[in-house]
Amino acid sequence: MKFELVAIFLLSTIFGIWPDSADAATPPAYEASKRLPLEICEIDNVDEPLLCGVHMVFENRESNSGRRIPIKVVVVPAQQERTTDSAWIEHQGGPRFSMVASAHLFAKGGFLEPFRRARDIVLIDPRGLHQSGPLYCEALKVPRILERYYPPDKVKACREELSKRADLKQYSTLNAIEDFEEIRRWLGYRKWDVGGWSYGSRFMLTYLHSYPESIRSISLIAPSILNFERPRDYARFGQQAFDRLVDDCRNDEACHARFPNIAGNLQMVLSKLETQPAKVEFTDPHSGMVVTRELSRDVFAESIWIALLRTSEARQLPFILEHAAEGNFAPFLDLAVPTSAPPSEPEGHYFSVVCPEETGRLDIGKAADSAKDTFVGTYIAQDYMDACAAWGLPLNPSHPIEPKRFSVPALIVTGKQDPVTAPEYGEIIARHFENGVHISIPHMAHSVSQMKNAECFTQFLSEFVEAGNSKNINMDCPNSLRPPQFRLN
């Protein structure tokens, strides 16, 4: 993403938004620049000027010396006169996603634009991610397709490469939170309204425990718990999500007539692949070459689990499993193989957070107990544990964090068909809020976005933040969310 500082006159030429008359509105960034220590900037795919800046922090916060990391900050300013001295920040999870890259969603014409009506949106890429000293490595540059996703030899090579230019122990959740808190003070906001998705929820819950006085409200969507042991419950929650998907099909006349034995088809495919892996061909989106893979039982099961993450893909599974049971993997490949090359991810950041804070605390016995009688089994758990052993960072002594009880208003939303963060996580979190509400949405997987009528969710969330109270929440939007139709042919 390109950022460029330009003069106001040049901006007016580029965007075509300079007032044609005294009655035309001046873009909000110009007024906001008077109160924020940031510069007017141009961002690709955004049709208005925004505000950008870099906050330099020490990599090693304890020593307060040595290497510095640039933390990228973008502000999408309030459209109207602000009614609050708080601002919205979010963490979209992973930990791998860029918050800065979502600026176009909040800016002019974006579907989240209503959210900045009366408050600033502050987008920060945490240390080690994307525009904030990203921890990319050559060994894991190309995402793996239909093969072991975290081969230990490549994970070890990634760490060896990055260790030459970064102290990987310094990219923890707590250090990133210290960066965010510095940025709050630097920008002059009294409080944050925070939103967290998946791991981003653990990030924001940890922020709340560290700086409760800095948080005005907290919104947690598909949340992981404070003391998450990734991926202990992936197999169990995946089985729950699959079973509920089967129930959905059974209660859908057309789906049940077309696919009367979904669970049986899955078991048939898994049994065949366990006996004899299938050879499949597909076009590699990176090289453009046709490649051949041996499709194993475990990789197929993991791919089905991944499909359950997205509601629209989950609704294709009855169709895919029927064809796979007949030996036709073409529909499966259409779903599992991307048509264009996925972007590289800063995997060094991912392992430097996940391994010492989450997976490092898991043992295979716990994973096996949780995975009993599931189609995934212990494959995903073993993949993570082997990868973290190769990464080699010691456990972070600051984790786990003992949960506290808070009066901060909290909105917690889970999906009943989520294979990662099932509703029981929402129930655990809700117990620690005096002013909290947990809403569990039927048929929803790990995101609201692929549900029908999902566009209402922005307004729903905005109303909660504006009210600053979880009481008397209007449930019209959550109650109106529906899944896509099942794929029948």
Side-chain angles (χ1 to χ4, degrees):
M1 184 174 292
K2 173 187 174 185
F3 292 83
E4 183 180 356
L5 299 179
V6 293
I8 291 178
F9 176 77
L10 182 56
L11 275 170
S12 68
T13 304
I14 293 172
F15 293 113
I17 53 175
W18 186 254
D20 293 323
S21 70
D23 296 327
T26 301
Y30 299 145
E31 190 62 33
S33 67
K34 299 174 184 177
R35 57 179 170 82
L36 293 170
L38 304 171
E39 301 288 344
I40 299 286
C41 60
E42 169 202 354
I43 298 181
D44 287 349
N45 303 317
V46 174
D47 291 333
E48 65 171 306
L50 300 181
L51 292 167
C52 300
V54 171
H55 184 69
M56 300 300 297
V57 299
F58 286 109
E59 182 183 59
N60 189 325
R61 297 194 64 92
E62 187 174 355
S63 69
N64 210 35
S65 63
R67 181 174 181 264
R68 287 176 175 263
I69 305 171
I71 307 299
K72 189 69 188 183
V73 180
V74 171
V75 173
V76 185
Q79 289 175 316
Q80 304 170 2
E81 184 176 351
R82 291 186 306 149
T83 58
T84 176
D85 54 3
S86 68
W88 171 265
I89 61 167
E90 59 182 52
H91 195 304
Q92 296 169 11
R96 62 173 76 249
F97 302 112
S98 170
M99 274 45 77
V100 168
S102 66
H104 68 287
L105 302 178
F106 292 96
K108 183 179 179 181
F111 76 90
L112 296 177
E113 185 181 13
F115 212 69
R116 42 101 50 133
R117 186 173 296 115
R119 64 172 23 83
D120 292 346
I121 309 299
V122 180
L123 302 171
I124 308 167
D125 276 354
R127 55 170 58 203
L129 281 180
H130 300 283
Q131 298 198 46
S132 297
L135 297 177
Y136 292 104
C137 63
E138 286 296 319
L140 295 171
K141 182 177 181 180
V142 178
R144 283 65 61 204
I145 299 173
L146 295 185
E147 56 187 344
R148 190 172 190 183
Y149 201 74
Y150 294 131
D153 58 335
K154 290 187 177 181
V155 172
K156 183 178 180 182
C158 179
R159 189 196 172 191
E160 290 173 350
E161 175 189 338
L162 291 174
S163 293
K164 296 173 183 177
R165 58 182 174 87
D167 180 354
L168 299 175
K169 296 190 297 296
Q170 305 303 326
Y171 290 81
S172 67
T173 298
L174 286 169
N175 274 350
I177 286 167
E178 292 298 324
D179 298 339
F180 275 47
E181 184 62 9
E182 270 190 19
I183 290 169
R184 182 189 66 78
R185 295 192 296 267
W186 175 51
L187 296 179
Y189 298 108
R190 191 172 67 87
K191 289 179 181 286
W192 297 126
D193 290 291
V194 304
W197 283 253
S198 196
Y199 160 79
S201 296
R202 181 169 81 80
F203 182 96
M204 292 307 180
L205 283 169
T206 306
Y207 199 150
L208 179 62
H209 279 70
S210 301
Y211 292 99
E213 69 282 358
S214 298
I215 307 298
R216 176 183 172 272
S217 71
I218 186 166
S219 305
L220 307 173
I221 317 300
S224 59
I225 52 178
L226 190 64
N227 299 325
F228 191 38
E229 292 182 351
R230 184 187 316 230
R232 185 186 66 188
D233 295 317
Y234 281 16
R236 180 166 65 92
F237 290 165
Q239 187 66 52
Q240 290 177 7
F242 181 78
D243 291 344
R244 286 170 179 158
L245 182 75
V246 171
D247 288 342
D248 278 359
C249 182
R250 186 179 297 116
N251 294 324
D252 181 299
E253 185 176 350
C255 184
H256 184 57
R258 180 75 175 78
F259 309 111
N261 191 23
I262 303 169
N265 286 337
L266 175 60
Q267 288 306 314
M268 184 185 300
V269 179
L270 295 178
S271 296
K272 287 181 178 179
L273 292 176
E274 190 160 24
T275 302
Q276 180 63 54
K279 286 191 175 181
V280 296
E281 288 187 348
F282 59 88
T283 300
D284 185 281
H286 294 275
S287 66
M289 305 291 290
V290 175
V291 297
T292 301
R293 289 270 195 280
E294 272 205 347
L295 181 62
S296 69
R297 183 243 186 249
D298 287 335
V299 168
F300 182 83
E302 182 183 41
S303 299
I304 297 304
W305 180 87
I306 291 171
L308 289 167
L309 285 165
R310 294 175 284 274
T311 306
S312 63
E313 294 188 4
R315 309 292 278 192
Q316 299 182 48
L317 288 179
F319 176 87
I320 288 168
L321 291 172
E322 181 187 66
H323 283 269
E326 296 168 352
N328 176 11
F329 288 97
F332 166 75
L333 293 173
D334 286 343
L335 184 71
V337 178
T339 55
S340 59
S344 298
E345 300 288 352
E347 299 285 15
H349 176 273
Y350 185 82
F351 291 121
S352 295
V353 171
V354 168
C355 294
E357 297 179 17
E358 298 177 350
T359 305
R361 302 185 181 281
L362 177 63
D363 63 57
I364 196 62
K366 286 182 181 179
D369 288 344
S370 184
K372 187 177 180 182
D373 300 324
T374 68
F375 72 88
V376 170
T378 59
Y379 174 71
I380 296 177
Q382 192 65 62
D383 194 28
Y384 268 89
M385 294 176 72
D386 291 348
C388 286
W391 195 246
L393 282 189
L395 291 177
N396 188 317
S398 299
H399 294 271
I401 293 173
E402 187 65 29
K404 302 174 185 176
R405 191 164 174 80
F406 296 98
S407 59
V408 171
L411 174 64
I412 305 152
V413 178
T414 59
K416 290 188 176 179
Q417 290 183 19
D418 188 337
V420 177
T421 55
E424 70 179 68
Y425 280 4
E427 294 167 8
I428 290 170
I429 294 168
R431 294 182 198 133
H432 300 286
F433 288 95
E434 300 167 10
N435 183 9
V437 61
H438 171 214
I439 299 169
S440 188
I441 298 176
H443 319 292
M444 180 182 127
H446 198 53
S447 170
V448 179
S449 63
Q450 295 185 328
M451 300 287 284
K452 290 184 177 180
N453 201 37
E455 60 274 8
C456 75
F457 198 79
T458 300
Q459 184 62 32
F460 170 72
L461 185 56
S462 180
E463 288 174 358
F464 162 74
V465 175
E466 289 297 326
N469 198 316
S470 65
K471 311 301 181 186
N472 302 317
I473 284 183
N474 185 338
M475 290 293 293
D476 288 349
C477 176
N479 291 338
S480 73
L481 297 174
R482 296 289 183 270
Q485 295 295 316
F486 281 100
R487 179 182 179 185
L488 300 179
N489 50 52

